[in-house]
Amino acid sequence: MSITLLRQACVWTLLLAPVPALAQDAVKIGILNDQSGPFASYQGIGSVVAAKMAVEDYGGKAGGKPVEVVAADHQNKTDIGIGIARRWYENDGVDAIFDVPNSSIALAVAGMSAEKNKVFVGSGAGTALLTGEKCTPNTVHWTYDTYAYGRGLGKAIVQQGGKKWFFITADYAFGHDLEKQASEAVKASGGQVLGAVRHPLGTADYASFLLQAQASGADIIGIANAGDDTITSMKQAAEFGLTKDHKLAGLILGMNGLPALTLKFAQGAQIMNPFYWDLNDDTRAFAKRFAERIPSKAYPNDMQAGVYASVIHYLKAIDKVGGARDGKAVVTAMKDTPTDDPLYGKGYIRKDGRKIHPLYLLQVKSPDESKSAWDLLKVVGTIKGEDAFRPESEGQCPLVK
């Protein structure tokens, strides 16, 4: 080979070779969620703001390197979500992905994170499969899951006398799992499930579904969906007059949806949540700072607070390990270190990746009780984390012997 050809070959080799140096210059956190669809106001830009606040509050560095936050919209499409995750991991030097509402995408990202030895922390994801059959040594499930919400609220409402149920369920992994958990809790508590109907993500007209629920003879209509789907279905149920004779159980009715639903329609409804902005001085201070930075001026919900708390704990683990490159080692350190932050308080992460903390039974205030725009809920009960989440021995997680 001539000297000229040899030089050309060397140049092409350098141009085509991966460049890991850029990935090592910083710890990179990716916030992957819905920023334009039915979950946008529940996670969206709010989760990005929460992650950036966590990085700033931690000091901006972990493992001796600066921490960067990047974000992308998965558009609730699994192929788009996994494509972003692959590009982040293979080309952009992202070390961990957080949030990921939409359980189908979350399960795919969890699998890829294990394959690439990165870290996945689900703060917006709901499916309990993440700490069950689909658990990985690279996954932490932080905020909530379908088992805790479905079982907790199903049991509570049956104990209050709501024994006959009909479900309106989102037709994807999250909705199916949520309905399953709530149904099992209802039956175990002495109630009946009279039927269910499935609807696509982003449904605008629930008339036919509501008519089936009304004709079922149920006392309780379980709304097993999330985001704008929950608000639209519950609002239309109220407009149809179903709330006169039926009680609506919004299994994932989040605080951010209440202004659109209005306290008039939602008052008295009960929800499960591990976080509320008005719990204590720390949560109130965070909510004020958060609202000043988010364009909508909304207060943070549990999933956005979960991003903040989990990023803080992730950065602590990086400092303990000494770097972010070995995802499995970082998750092991997260599990070995008790959790402690201003929003979720003290807790821990089990072997299966489930973060354990208390859940609060919250009741929607009446319009007369509310004193300000985000004064929407009051605490009516507390459930210990060990009682709220599925027992580790029952999840069939391969990591648990």
Side-chain angles (χ1 to χ4, degrees):
M1 180 182 292
S2 69
I3 297 297
T4 301
L5 290 175
L6 182 60
R7 286 174 176 169
Q8 288 177 345
C10 290
V11 168
W12 281 111
T13 300
L14 289 171
L15 289 174
L16 295 174
V19 186
L22 292 177
Q24 297 174 18
D25 287 341
V27 174
K28 285 192 177 182
I29 293 171
I31 306 300
L32 182 60
N33 61 23
D34 177 0
Q35 299 189 15
S36 56
F39 307 131
S41 61
Y42 299 84
Q43 289 96 19
I45 189 63
S47 292
V48 182
V49 168
K52 290 183 176 180
M53 290 175 67
V55 171
E56 292 167 11
D57 290 350
Y58 194 74
K61 287 188 176 183
K65 296 175 182 177
V67 182
E68 298 177 11
V69 176
V70 298
D73 183 353
H74 62 39
Q75 301 176 44
N76 289 298
K77 297 177 181 177
T78 303
D79 58 339
I80 291 177
I82 198 64
I84 293 168
R86 186 178 300 279
R87 187 188 75 241
W88 275 356
Y89 284 159
E90 295 182 352
N91 302 327
D92 298 345
V94 169
D95 298 293
I97 294 178
F98 285 71
D99 207 12
V100 199
N102 189 307
S103 293
S104 298
I105 301 174
L107 289 167
V109 170
M112 175 168 284
S113 300
E115 175 191 336
K116 303 294 184 183
N117 195 23
K118 303 289 188 173
V119 174
F120 169 57
V121 181
S123 42
T127 178
L129 287 171
L130 287 169
T131 55
E133 297 173 19
K134 301 295 185 180
C135 75
T136 83
N138 297 68
T139 293
V140 172
H141 202 182
W142 193 275
T143 305
Y144 76 105
D145 62 33
T146 48
Y147 182 99
Y149 277 10
R151 299 232 174 190
L153 199 57
K155 180 180 179 180
I157 291 176
V158 171
Q159 289 176 341
Q160 294 170 5
K163 293 187 178 295
K164 295 181 180 180
W165 287 62
F166 184 94
F167 288 93
I168 296 177
T169 302
D171 194 12
Y172 58 100
F174 167 83
H176 299 174
D177 198 14
L178 187 60
E179 178 193 315
K180 174 180 180 292
Q181 302 300 342
S183 295
E184 290 180 359
V186 168
K187 295 172 185 176
S189 302
Q192 296 176 272
V193 177
L194 303 182
V197 65
R198 306 280 171 81
H199 70 82
L201 178 68
T203 294
D205 184 359
Y206 287 84
S208 63
F209 308 124
L210 293 169
L211 287 172
Q212 290 181 63
Q214 188 175 36
S216 70
D219 304 314
I220 308 296
I221 301 174
I223 309 296
N225 52 25
D228 290 348
D229 285 337
T230 298
I231 302 310
T232 302
S233 55
M234 291 185 71
K235 198 167 188 178
Q236 289 182 15
E239 291 168 351
F240 271 52
L242 265 68
T243 52
K244 295 178 182 177
D245 304 312
H246 302 77
K247 185 173 182 179
L248 304 181
L251 299 174
I252 308 289
L253 174 59
M255 182 191 75
N256 293 67
L258 291 176
L261 186 57
T262 74
L263 295 183
K264 176 183 177 182
F265 287 145
Q267 61 182 311
Q270 293 183 341
I271 65 175
M272 305 284 294
N273 231 287
F275 169 87
Y276 181 52
W277 71 266
D278 201 21
L279 289 176
N280 54 54
D281 289 343
D282 285 337
T283 57
R284 285 187 283 271
F286 175 79
K288 183 178 179 181
R289 291 170 53 214
F290 178 92
E292 290 170 350
R293 296 180 59 157
I294 191 170
S296 66
K297 305 303 179 186
Y299 274 25
N301 63 20
D302 59 320
M303 290 166 280
Q304 292 159 342
V307 170
Y308 176 92
S310 58
V311 168
I312 291 283
H313 194 64
Y314 169 70
L315 297 178
K316 289 178 182 178
I318 290 174
D319 275 336
K320 184 175 181 178
V321 172
R325 296 193 65 187
D326 185 344
K328 184 177 178 180
V330 173
V331 169
T332 297
M334 292 177 75
K335 293 177 181 178
D336 290 344
T337 307
T339 62
D340 191 4
D341 65 83
L343 306 187
Y344 278 71
K346 297 182 185 296
Y348 60 94
I349 301 170
R350 299 189 314 205
K351 291 179 182 179
D352 61 359
R354 176 68 258 168
K355 164 67 165 59
I356 301 298
H357 43 243
L359 289 183
Y360 303 100
L361 186 61
L362 300 162
Q363 184 169 305
V364 180
K365 291 185 174 182
S366 69
D368 292 339
E369 290 178 296
S370 177
K371 305 302 179 185
S372 62
W374 291 99
D375 180 23
L376 304 170
L377 300 162
K378 57 186 177 184
V379 178
V380 295
T382 303
I383 304 172
K384 291 173 57 179
E386 291 80 3
D387 296 332
F389 292 101
R390 179 179 58 205
E392 193 173 39
S393 60
E394 296 179 8
Q396 300 180 28
C397 169
L399 302 175
V400 179
K401 296 181 181 180

